[in-house]
């Protein structure tokens, strides 16, 4: 028997079975850089009575714009991308290698669920896979592409990965079938309205919505470069931002980041909070920008978004910046009867664990608890700055203070006088040593660069 011809024949069969997914892999990676692993993994599905070439998943390693990655790509052409125990074991093997070499992982998910006939075996395989992905969280970056429909327990990977990409009009992700979800909800929605990017706008699972895999390649390169290279040369060290002297809003604050360096994560979820990876003076940072002209009112959802991003910054030891404009916790029954207090408590615990630089800039309002959590020196911020026209106070207005003290015997005239003085500018906080400097907004970037350079480890 000619072993070489037999090998070539087997290879051809494997390549043919994964023709579509391999094309997607080639679009994502550098040309001719893919090295496949466990290519000849085969098992037989007794229910269907056919072999699963490559276990319905392609694994290996490659480079993306020169950076190395491990690749895990489900092949929906083999048993509908059905997850099997052998499928999970093949993926876990790849993740073990990623852990050993501290190499980022890219998942491309496309599966209609578990393979029928596997029984509890596949559940054990999924448990092994999900646990391994959890062990990688915060140690090596994990990027997940919903490369079609991904249903069932494999969807849990999206909750463990650092970044999740949805392709417009192609991606759908859910723990159950969208038909079942829609029917149980008494609706007749299509799969994208149920579990596409728009259907999951309150899930905090959608990091990016893109048009195609080529766009994902560019984003992965930018994100990985920000995470893997802490400092690069920068010619923008002494730039002032005159626009900040005229207008203090989130869009203008964005000018503080080096040109074309900022990448917003999860922009469709609680858009009043911007979570950004960017560079300032060539230094990689994780930044929170409160995005509301009159100040953001905190609720369980937007605090959860801040908390998750702070945890990400902590895991990857990134300098953490907050650009503050908040009125504190929203005053309504729904917010009061929510997890907002618990989320804020957990955020404080995470903030305390961040070992890199922590800098707060009050560019708008820091009212009550909004100041305590996001700007107070006693909260552990290395530097706290405030714009000359910022507001730091117990309440947003005299009317707010009057309502708060309506049942007390406080002298309303004295309260109004004292409150008006306190609310006028941040000098009162600076007098107590709680603000490191009150700055002219246009010079913000110079202050931040100088602070980051002093704190950089």
């Amino acid at each position: 028997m000619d072993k070489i011809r037999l090998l070539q024949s087997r290879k051809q069969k494997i390549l043919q079975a994964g023709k579509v997914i391999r094309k997607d892999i080639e679009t994502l990676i550098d040309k001719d850089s893919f090295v496949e692993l466990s290519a000849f993994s085969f098992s037989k599905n007794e229910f269907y009575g056919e072999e699963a070439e490559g276990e319905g998943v392609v694994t290996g390693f490659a480079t993306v714009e020169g950076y190395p990655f491990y690749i895990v790509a489900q092949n929906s052409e083999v048993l509908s991308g059905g997850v099997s125990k052998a499928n999970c074991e093949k993926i876990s093997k790849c993740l073990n290698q990623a852990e050993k070499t501290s190499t980022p992982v890219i998942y491309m998910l496309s599966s209609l669920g578990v393979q029928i006939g596997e029984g509890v075996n596949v559940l054990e395989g999924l448990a092994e896979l999900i646990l391994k992905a959890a062990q990688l969280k915060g140690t090596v970056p994990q990027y997940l592409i919903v490369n079609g429909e991904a249903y069932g327990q494999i969807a849990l990977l999206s909750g463990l990965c650092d970044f999740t990409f949805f392709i417009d009009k192609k991606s759908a992700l859910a723990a159950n079938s969208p038909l079942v979800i829609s029917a149980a909800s008494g609706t007749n929605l299509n799969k994208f309205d149920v579990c596409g990017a728009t259907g999951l706008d309150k899930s905090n699972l959608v990091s990016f919505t893109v048009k195609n895999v080529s766009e994902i390649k560019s984003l992965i390169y930018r994100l990985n470069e920000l995470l893997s290279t802490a400092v690069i040369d920068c010619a923008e060290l002494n730039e002032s931002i005159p626009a900040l002297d005229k207008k203090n809003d989130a869009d203008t604050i964005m000018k503080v980041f080096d040109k074309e360096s900022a990448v917003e994560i999860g922009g469709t979820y609680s858009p009043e909070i911007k979570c950004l990876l960017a560079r300032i003076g060539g230094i990689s940072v994780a930044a929170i920008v409160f995005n509301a002209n009159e100040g953001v009112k905190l609720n369980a959802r937007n605090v959860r978004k801040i908390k998750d991003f702070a945890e990400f910054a902590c895991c990857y030891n990134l300098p953490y910046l907050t650009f503050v404009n908040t009125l504190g916790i929203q005053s309504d029954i729904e917010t009061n009867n929510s997890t907002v207090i618990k989320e804020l408590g957990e955020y404080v615990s995470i903030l305390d664990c961040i070992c890199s630089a922590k800098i707060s800039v009050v560019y708008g309002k820091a009212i009550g608890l909004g100041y305590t959590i996001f700007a107070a020196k006693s909260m552990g911020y290395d530097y706290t700055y405030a714009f000359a026209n910022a507001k730091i106070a117990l309440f947003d207005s005299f009317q707010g203070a009057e309502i708060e003290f309506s049942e007390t015997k406080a002298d309303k005239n004295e309260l109004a006088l004292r409150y008006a003085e306190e609310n006028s500018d941040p000098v009162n906080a600076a007098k107590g040593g709680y603000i490191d400097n009150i700055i002219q907004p246009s010079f913000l970037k110079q202050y931040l660069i100088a602070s980051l350079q002093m704190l950089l480890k």
Side-chain angles (χ1 to χ4, degrees), residues 19 23 104 167 187 203 208 303 344 351 372 387-388 405 420:
K19 189 175 180 181
K23 186 176 290 186
I167 302 170
T187 62
S203 67
F208 304 97
V303 174
L344 281 165
L351 190 65
T372 304
F387 283 5
F405 291 101

Side-chain angles (χ1 to χ4, degrees), residues 48 74-83 109-116 148-154 172 174-178 191:
Y48 289 104
Q74 286 185 309
N75 182 7
S76 59
E77 295 186 330
V78 176
L79 300 175
S80 298
V83 178
L109 297 190
S110 181
S111 172
L112 298 182
V114 298
Q115 288 187 23
I116 298 174
E149 298 174 73
Y151 306 138
Q153 293 185 36
I154 198 70
N176 297 292
S177 163
K191 60 189 175 186

Side-chain angles (χ1 to χ4, degrees), residues 247-376:
K247 190 175 184 181
N248 298 155
D249 59 19
D251 289 338
T252 315
I253 285 290
M254 294 287 288
K255 295 179 182 295
V256 77
F257 303 116
D258 297 348
K259 289 183 178 66
E260 299 181 356
S261 73
V263 181
E264 184 176 1
I265 316 298
T268 57
Y269 176 77
S270 292
E272 68 275 16
I273 301 293
K274 287 180 174 287
C275 297
L276 302 139
L277 285 180
R279 291 190 188 276
I280 298 180
I283 300 170
S284 289
V285 299
I288 299 287
V289 179
F290 288 76
N291 180 28
N293 289 337
E294 297 304 316
V296 171
K297 295 180 179 179
L298 301 172
N299 57 46
R301 286 180 58 210
N302 56 34
V303 174
R304 177 61 187 266
K305 182 176 183 179
I306 296 169
K307 184 189 79 174
D308 287 350
F309 193 66
E311 183 178 24
F312 170 84
C314 182
C315 287
Y316 293 104
N317 200 33
L318 291 165
Y320 181 65
L321 280 63
T322 55
F323 295 89
V324 183
N325 185 15
T326 176
L327 304 175
I329 296 179
Q330 187 166 322
S331 299
D332 58 34
I333 292 173
E334 182 182 358
T335 304
N336 187 62
N337 187 26
S338 73
T339 60
V340 64
I341 296 294
K342 188 172 182 64
E343 300 289 356
L344 281 165
E346 291 176 358
Y347 173 71
V348 171
S349 296
I350 292 168
L351 190 65
D352 187 50
C353 292
I354 296 177
C355 297
S356 190
K358 287 180 283 194
I359 300 173
S360 176
V361 178
V362 182
Y363 81 92
K365 299 176 181 178
I367 306 299
L369 182 141
Y371 171 81
T372 304
I373 301 293
F374 298 104

Side-chain angles (χ1 to χ4, degrees), residues 379-454:
M379 192 56 68
Y381 291 98
D382 298 294
Y383 292 107
T384 299
Y385 297 114
F387 283 5
N389 53 356
K391 290 185 178 180
I392 297 173
L394 286 172
F395 305 99
D396 189 33
S397 64
F398 164 61
Q399 286 75 20
E402 191 174 28
I403 291 171
E404 186 75 14
F405 291 101
S406 61
E407 297 182 5
T408 72
K409 296 180 179 179
D411 185 314
K412 296 298 189 292
N413 292 326
E414 184 180 343
L415 180 65
L417 183 65
R418 180 180 297 179
Y419 189 74
E421 181 183 353
E422 179 189 55
N423 197 44
S424 60
D425 59 47
V427 170
N428 292 284
K431 285 179 181 177
Y434 305 130
I435 300 294
D436 290 296
N437 215 328
I438 299 172
I439 62 176
Q440 183 176 336
S442 59
F443 298 128
L444 173 61
K445 187 164 186 174
Q446 288 97 320
Y447 277 97
L448 291 177
I449 291 173
S451 301
L452 288 166
Q453 287 176 339
M454 284 299 296

Side-chain angles (χ1 to χ4, degrees), residues 39-219:
F40 291 97
S41 292
F42 285 85
S43 66
K44 184 157 182 162
N45 186 290
E46 299 298 332
F47 188 86
Y48 289 104
E50 61 179 287
E51 288 186 325
E53 290 84 359
E55 302 303 346
V57 62
V58 178
T59 62
F61 55 88
T63 59
V64 177
E65 302 292 355
Y67 285 105
F69 290 87
Y70 276 93
I71 309 291
V72 172
Q74 286 185 309
N75 182 7
S76 59
E77 295 186 330
V78 176
L79 300 175
S80 298
V83 178
S84 65
K85 187 173 190 297
N87 178 296
C88 293
E89 288 173 344
K90 183 174 178 179
I91 297 173
S92 296
K93 181 180 176 181
C94 184
L95 299 188
N96 284 329
Q97 290 298 113
E99 182 179 40
K100 188 182 294 184
T101 58
S102 298
T103 303
V105 180
I106 299 172
Y107 303 89
M108 303 180 81
L109 297 190
S110 181
S111 172
L112 298 182
V114 298
Q115 288 187 23
I116 298 174
E118 285 256 331
V120 175
N121 290 330
V122 68
L123 301 181
E124 286 288 343
L126 280 162
E128 178 186 358
L129 166 56
I130 292 166
L131 177 61
K132 177 49 65 178
Q135 290 168 345
L136 290 184
K137 184 174 176 63
T139 59
V140 298
Q142 296 180 85
Y143 303 81
L144 186 145
I145 301 167
V146 184
N147 195 39
E149 298 174 73
Y151 306 138
Q153 293 185 36
I154 198 70
L156 267 66
L157 285 176
S158 63
L160 296 170
C161 290
D162 299 295
F163 309 102
T164 302
F165 302 85
F166 277 65
I167 302 170
D168 192 31
K169 303 302 181 185
K170 181 181 180 182
S171 299
L173 178 81
N176 297 292
S177 163
L179 292 175
V180 173
I181 295 170
S182 185
S185 304
T187 62
N188 188 27
L189 299 172
N190 66 51
K191 60 189 175 186
F192 298 116
D193 289 334
V194 174
C195 45
T198 54
L200 296 174
D201 63 338
K202 294 179 175 62
S203 67
N204 200 20
L205 291 175
V206 184
S207 303
F208 304 97
T209 304
V210 299
K211 295 178 181 177
N212 50 48
V213 175
S214 296
E215 192 175 338
I216 295 173
K217 179 178 181 177
S218 173
L219 277 168

